[in-house]
Amino acid sequence: MQMVKSELKKNIKEVTLLPLKGMVVFPYLVMPLMISNQKYAKMVDEALLEGKTIGLFTQKPGESADENEDNIYRIGTSASILKMLRFPDGSVRFLVQGLSRIRLRKIISSEPYLTAEVEELEEDSRSDVKLEALTRNVHEILKKVTELAPYLSEENYISAINQENPSKLADFVASNLNLNVEQKQEMLETSGVRERLEKLLAHLNKEYEVLELSRKIQAEAASEMGKLQKEYILKEQLKAIQKELGMTDERTEEINEFENKIRDARMPEVAEEAAIKELDRLSKMNPSSAEYTVSRSYLDWMVSLPWRKESEDKLEIKPARKILDEDHYDLEKVKDRILEYLAVRKLKTDLKGPILCFVGPPGVGKTSLGRSIARALGRKFERISLGGMHDEAEIRGHRRTYIGSLPGRIIQGLKRAGTKNPVFMLDEIDKVGKDFRGDPASALLEVLDPEQNDTFSDHYLDVPFDLSKVMFITTANMLDTIPDVLLDRMEVIRIPGYTDLEKVQIAKKFLIPRELEEHGLKKSDLSFTSKALRNIINNYTRESGLRNLDRELATVCRKVAKDVAMGKKGKVTVNPEDVQKYLGAPKFVRELAERVARVGVAPGLAWTPTGGDVLFIEATKMKGKGNLSLTGHLGDVMKESVQAAYSYIRTIAKKLDLDESAFENVDVHVHVPSGAVPKDGPSAGIVMASAIASLFTGRPVKPRIAMTGEITLRGMLLPIGGLKEKSLGAYRAGIKTIILPEANKKDIDEIPEELKKKLTYKFVKTIDEAIKLILEPPKKKSRK
């Protein structure tokens, strides 16, 4: 803070110094003070007895309580003590009268009290026209402030206008005005009277604006309060009149309607208490308020949920089996599991709903199977897609504090179903996302746990809801992306791809009748022979499911429908030779196995989310330094399989009639087409070893043979998974023989009889045995 320096004569003297906290004392004004520090109490007592003046200096806000000149302002007030009173608690209260402004020059001593050398500041008492104008303005604005400020009395205003000079006026008003310590200190440090009055006017004008605005706000609030009170009185009178006439208003009707709905909903005790409490809040709200809509929406959800409504299960086994057979071909494992549930449910009525997970390639009927199960059980069916879901609130809902909040998809589905025991399908659970909005998979942990979901808590409802009666079915193409803790809560049922025979039967029984109906055709208009269907399956589709087959059948139906619409008569029977006319040239060649008859190329069997497939491993060598190169977008596990295979082939070089020097000064390059598709997994180890063995021995792989299995550095073969899918892929590619690890013998029972008739399975324990079966015999050396 700057201070206008006085150029008048300086008067220097020594005074005892009393630091003040949170207050400023102005010259010529009488102020009460209180201290509890016994040291300063003694100082005040001595000053009163000896008639000495003391220096009052304000401590800087936020500074420590240490007694030094850095912690106090440089400008203070010299004062005399008029009166002093002691209290039983040891504190001292006394009156002081300010005498003049003083500037602190330096601290002389701190014992027994702070003693300082101060300089008394004299004021310019000259008067002029501007000073007179400032004084009048202060009087005028002070009068307005006094009328509005509750802390200023009329006596304050009278005392102010009776001050004998402008300096005393400025100090008096500044002392009584609602200013903070820094503002008052600034007024004290301004020794020039004109400058002090100008600052005072600025403070007065600001205070007046604040007080005037506060008055307006208070007046408006009082007016609104009066309006609300008036409305309340009128509403109460209206209620009394309506009661006498036997009438009710819309709001009262709504409240009464909610009361009846809460009673009829038969909620659990906790939920009913929450609903009644919310209804009580609603009855006291103004219908025009935003909270009213939020509260009403909450009650709508509470009374519309099926707290105790259940559909009656059809527990007869034979009718349920008939329905499942009508809707789906084969899938015996799944059908047996549903019939088992019905049987146990018939014997134990309070059985909790199972948590099933259907895993299989796209198009095999996982979702439609859920609808069939609901129909067989006589339950409602609800489905939500989890694919791409990132927000945890989609499962648990949003809290009511958010605008537009709603319950989660689980509670919404139960409301749509209208019962607490529907068949609830959670589709594509393997494609749930995760980001900053939360992890929906974690929110599903409680939903899909039979031991916990009887008290599922949705954030919007904020009361537990019983999900134990719900039959949850989840679907996935693969299990790898599902968190282990979530997968542990589900009973996994694998639905593999269909064989060609199964596809023909499904097409005849389900797909063709549906497509005929959707295209406005009759059985008398179009039919397919079995051989034509096989032609379409073999040459126009390559899938484990049925979606592409369905599309191709729809294409034929559209072309026939066009002919029928143009007036063509007679039934169309599609034979194998007619397929190309309707669908064009074949899209796929089945005889992929013929690619193998080259040295260094070996076919392996791979599992993919869409079913099984044949994977060709290519190996070549060139002059080099013994390096091994790997390409084809391989994962870490597959890279390690190549290295293990290469190392093992080198260890059995003598068994393969190879010279150990054959691996020196050459680089080996292993490639897996297609290079843009990521590949990983350990089951290609046997294929890698066969390709490398073929490369170095010059013996090609036998035709129409494929293999799968994980190898160890000791040449042992470990079992693999997905045997049915891999067998289907081999069959589609024209493979006749499959080499498998000995440990996979037990899995042959899962292979359909149709495939067993078409394929030959050979089991081996070591890679040495496999190579003897896989590679062509070595050429006999000619004798000269």
Side-chain angles (χ1 to χ4, degrees):
M1 300 181 186
Q2 292 184 340
M3 185 190 76
V4 179
K5 293 184 178 180
S6 174
E7 296 180 356
L8 301 176
K9 182 179 179 181
K10 299 178 181 179
N11 185 8
I12 298 173
K13 58 183 178 180
E14 291 182 10
V15 295
T16 53
L17 189 146
L18 177 62
L20 303 178
K21 195 167 186 178
M23 64 186 308
V24 177
V25 176
F26 286 88
Y28 308 111
L29 299 181
V30 176
M31 288 189 68
L33 299 177
M34 184 187 78
I35 54 175
S36 56
N37 189 314
Q38 295 302 311
K39 172 182 172 181
Y40 289 115
K42 187 176 180 182
M43 182 196 83
V44 170
D45 193 14
E46 291 180 2
L48 179 63
L49 291 175
E50 298 174 8
K52 292 182 180 179
T53 60
I54 61 174
L56 303 176
F57 287 85
T58 303
Q59 286 184 314
K60 295 178 181 178
E63 297 290 341
S64 64
D66 296 339
E67 297 176 352
N68 59 68
E69 55 185 304
D70 294 330
N71 293 344
I72 59 176
Y73 288 107
R74 310 296 295 178
I75 303 298
T77 304
S78 65
S80 62
I81 301 171
L82 303 179
K83 188 178 180 181
M84 184 183 77
L85 292 174
R86 288 186 178 275
F87 286 82
D89 60 356
S91 61
V92 173
R93 299 184 186 183
F94 56 100
L95 284 177
V96 296
Q97 181 174 19
L99 300 175
S100 63
R101 285 175 168 76
I102 54 176
R103 179 191 290 117
L104 177 64
R105 291 174 61 87
K106 62 180 178 179
I107 300 291
I108 298 173
S109 67
S110 57
E111 295 297 336
Y113 321 113
L114 283 176
T115 305
E117 184 180 279
V118 298
E119 169 189 342
E120 186 175 333
L121 303 178
E122 297 184 4
E123 298 178 350
D124 187 359
S125 59
R126 290 175 295 176
S127 179
D128 56 19
V129 175
K130 185 173 182 179
L131 196 63
E132 180 66 26
L134 287 169
T135 303
R136 291 186 182 182
N137 280 337
V138 168
H139 288 161
E140 189 175 333
I141 193 69
L142 180 61
K143 184 177 182 181
K144 295 179 181 179
V145 172
T146 304
E147 292 172 355
L148 296 174
Y151 61 88
L152 290 177
S153 63
E154 188 68 25
E155 287 77 10
N156 289 121
Y157 173 68
I158 294 171
S159 299
I161 61 176
N162 287 326
Q163 294 298 321
E164 58 191 37
N165 63 52
S167 177
K168 292 183 178 180
L169 171 66
D171 289 342
F172 181 82
V173 176
S175 177
N176 288 281
L177 202 59
N178 188 18
L179 302 178
N180 59 37
V181 173
E182 289 90 340
Q183 290 170 329
K184 287 187 177 182
Q185 181 65 30
E186 184 184 12
M187 292 293 294
L188 182 67
E189 293 182 0
T190 307
S191 59
V193 180
R194 184 185 299 173
E195 290 83 354
R196 208 183 316 154
L197 286 173
E198 288 173 348
K199 289 181 180 180
L200 180 62
L201 269 175
H203 289 308
L204 282 169
N205 280 313
K206 182 180 178 181
E207 185 71 6
Y208 176 70
E209 289 176 7
V210 171
L211 290 169
E212 181 63 25
L213 183 60
S214 176
R215 184 190 65 78
K216 287 181 180 179
I217 293 171
Q218 205 168 17
E220 290 173 1
S223 174
E224 185 65 26
M225 184 63 72
K227 182 181 177 182
L228 291 174
Q229 288 174 342
K230 184 178 179 181
E231 284 181 2
Y232 175 76
I233 293 169
L234 290 174
K235 284 177 183 177
E236 291 299 316
Q237 290 175 347
L238 182 61
K239 284 181 183 178
I241 294 170
Q242 288 174 338
K243 188 175 180 180
E244 289 294 325
L245 296 175
M247 299 167 59
T248 55
D249 63 338
E250 291 183 4
R251 186 182 177 195
T252 305
E253 284 182 0
E254 187 176 53
I255 300 298
N256 294 336
E257 184 180 352
F258 271 126
E259 284 181 355
N260 294 332
K261 285 183 177 179
I262 291 172
R263 184 170 55 253
D264 295 340
R266 296 187 299 136
M267 304 177 188
E269 186 178 347
V270 176
E272 188 170 348
E273 287 178 2
I276 292 172
K277 184 178 180 181
E278 193 66 28
L279 183 62
D280 185 55
R281 288 182 66 242
L282 184 73
S283 64
K284 297 173 182 177
M285 288 184 195
N286 188 334
S288 60
S289 68
E291 277 292 315
Y292 186 88
T293 305
V294 174
S295 185
R296 191 186 183 285
S297 297
Y298 176 76
L299 286 171
D300 273 335
W301 277 100
M302 289 290 282
V303 299
S304 59
L305 288 176
W307 296 97
R308 298 191 188 274
K309 293 179 184 176
E310 292 185 35
S311 58
E312 187 175 350
D313 285 343
K314 298 177 182 178
L315 301 177
E316 295 303 320
I317 308 298
K318 289 182 179 179
R321 177 77 195 200
K322 184 180 178 182
I323 290 173
L324 293 173
D325 288 340
E326 284 176 359
D327 291 349
H328 287 83
Y329 178 79
D330 196 21
L331 301 179
E332 293 302 320
K333 268 192 175 181
V334 185
K335 292 176 182 177
D336 287 343
R337 179 63 183 87
I338 302 307
L339 297 177
E340 288 166 6
Y341 170 74
L342 286 177
V344 178
R345 180 80 171 78
K346 191 173 183 178
L347 300 175
K348 184 175 173 60
T349 56
D350 59 345
L351 181 67
K352 292 183 177 180
I355 314 291
L356 305 179
C357 180
F358 295 160
V359 182
V364 295
K366 298 186 295 295
T367 304
S368 61
L369 185 58
R371 296 183 187 277
S372 298
I373 292 170
R375 191 161 78 92
L377 291 172
R379 295 189 180 189
K380 299 279 187 170
F381 178 77
E382 281 299 323
R383 172 189 169 274
I384 63 173
S385 177
L386 302 179
M389 185 181 289
H390 287 76
D391 193 352
E392 180 190 349
E394 291 282 345
I395 303 297
R396 286 194 174 277
H398 297 82
R399 299 198 180 278
R400 279 178 287 156
T401 50
Y402 297 104
I403 297 173
S405 57
L406 285 171
R409 303 278 288 277
I410 303 295
I411 296 298
Q412 290 181 38
L414 290 171
K415 180 185 176 183
R416 287 193 301 270
T419 62
K420 65 179 294 186
N421 65 334
V423 173
F424 211 118
M425 176 157 279
L426 304 175
D427 232 347
E428 311 291 355
I429 196 170
D430 57 328
K431 297 176 181 63
V432 173
K434 178 181 179 181
D435 62 11
F436 65 93
R437 290 168 288 186
D439 183 5
S442 298
L444 287 170
L445 293 177
E446 183 182 6
V447 176
L448 300 180
D449 191 340
E451 301 300 323
Q452 298 181 33
N453 62 12
D454 57 340
T455 56
F456 171 70
S457 178
D458 185 276
H459 288 156
Y460 182 84
L461 300 181
D462 205 23
V463 292
F465 192 95
D466 184 6
L467 300 179
S468 62
K469 300 290 185 181
V470 179
M471 184 176 189
F472 284 105
I473 299 176
T474 65
T475 70
N477 296 132
M478 61 177 69
L479 299 178
D480 297 348
T481 57
I482 303 175
D484 291 340
V485 289
L486 184 57
L487 188 61
D488 183 58
R489 286 162 164 78
M490 300 183 287
E491 180 183 343
V492 177
I493 299 177
R494 295 187 179 274
I495 303 179
Y498 298 108
T499 64
D500 289 358
L501 179 60
E502 289 171 337
K503 288 183 179 180
V504 170
Q505 295 300 322
I506 293 170
K508 286 182 176 181
K509 191 174 180 180
F510 301 100
L511 303 183
I512 294 174
R514 187 178 68 195
E515 291 300 336
L516 290 176
E517 183 181 351
E518 290 184 358
H519 290 85
L521 297 173
K522 300 175 183 177
K523 290 183 179 179
S524 58
D525 294 326
L526 174 64
S527 66
F528 293 81
T529 66
S530 296
K531 289 184 178 180
L533 290 172
R534 282 184 176 276
N535 189 356
I536 295 172
I537 293 166
N538 291 337
N539 299 320
Y540 293 87
T541 68
R542 180 172 292 166
E543 58 179 345
S544 295
L546 299 161
R547 288 197 179 119
N548 286 325
L549 175 58
D550 199 22
R551 292 188 187 103
E552 299 300 336
L553 293 174
T555 301
V556 177
C557 290
R558 286 196 302 272
K559 294 185 183 298
V560 173
K562 177 184 174 184
D563 293 339
V564 173
M566 293 175 68
K568 189 175 180 179
K569 303 293 183 180
K571 182 176 181 178
V572 176
T573 300
V574 180
N575 294 302
E577 57 271 15
D578 300 323
V579 172
Q580 189 163 346
K581 179 179 71 172
Y582 290 106
L583 299 178
K587 297 178 181 178
F588 302 101
V589 178
R590 294 296 294 268
E591 300 301 320
L592 290 175
E594 294 178 359
R595 288 179 51 188
V596 183
R598 297 184 64 183
V599 172
V601 179
L605 298 177
W607 181 93
T608 69
T610 57
D613 201 359
V614 175
L615 199 65
F616 289 91
I617 310 296
E618 299 175 350
T620 187
K621 61 181 179 178
M622 63 216 79
K623 287 184 179 182
K625 299 179 180 179
N627 296 323
L628 177 64
S629 302
L630 311 173
T631 55
H633 210 323
L634 307 184
D636 291 339
V637 177
M638 189 171 276
K639 288 178 181 177
E640 291 167 1
S641 294
V642 181
Q643 291 165 350
Y646 184 56
S647 297
Y648 184 72
I649 294 300
R650 292 187 66 176
T651 62
I652 63 169
K654 289 184 179 180
K655 292 182 182 180
L656 297 175
D657 293 329
L658 293 174
D659 192 336
E660 293 183 0
S661 62
F663 297 94
E664 297 176 1
N665 302 321
V666 293
D667 287 344
V668 177
H669 184 171
V670 178
H671 178 67
V672 186
S674 304
V677 180
K679 311 165 194 74
D680 204 2
S683 63
I686 185 175
V687 197
M688 303 288 187
S690 301
I692 295 170
S694 171
L695 175 67
F696 281 94
T697 61
R699 296 158 55 188
V701 174
K702 292 177 182 178
R704 299 183 181 278
I705 194 169
M707 62 216 79
T708 179
E710 181 181 355
I711 68 167
T712 69
L713 277 177
R714 301 299 177 191
M716 301 299 295
L717 284 178
L718 303 180
I720 50 87
L723 183 56
K724 182 179 178 181
E725 289 86 351
K726 291 179 178 180
S727 298
L728 284 169
Y731 171 67
R732 294 190 193 103
I735 300 294
K736 298 296 183 182
T737 304
I738 298 178
I739 308 298
L740 293 171
E742 182 78 22
N744 281 112
K745 259 189 180 180
K746 65 182 187 309
D747 301 320
I748 290 297
D749 293 338
E750 298 179 3
I751 307 299
E753 288 299 324
E754 181 193 358
L755 283 179
K756 290 180 183 177
K757 293 176 183 178
K758 305 281 186 180
L759 297 171
T760 300
Y761 295 92
K762 293 186 177 181
F763 299 94
V764 292
K765 293 182 179 180
T766 65
I767 191 66
D768 302 47
E769 297 175 36
I771 289 175
K772 291 177 183 178
L773 295 173
I774 293 167
L775 299 184
E776 293 281 7
K779 293 181 181 180
K780 293 182 179 180
K781 295 180 181 179
S782 61
R783 296 180 180 179
K784 292 184 179 179

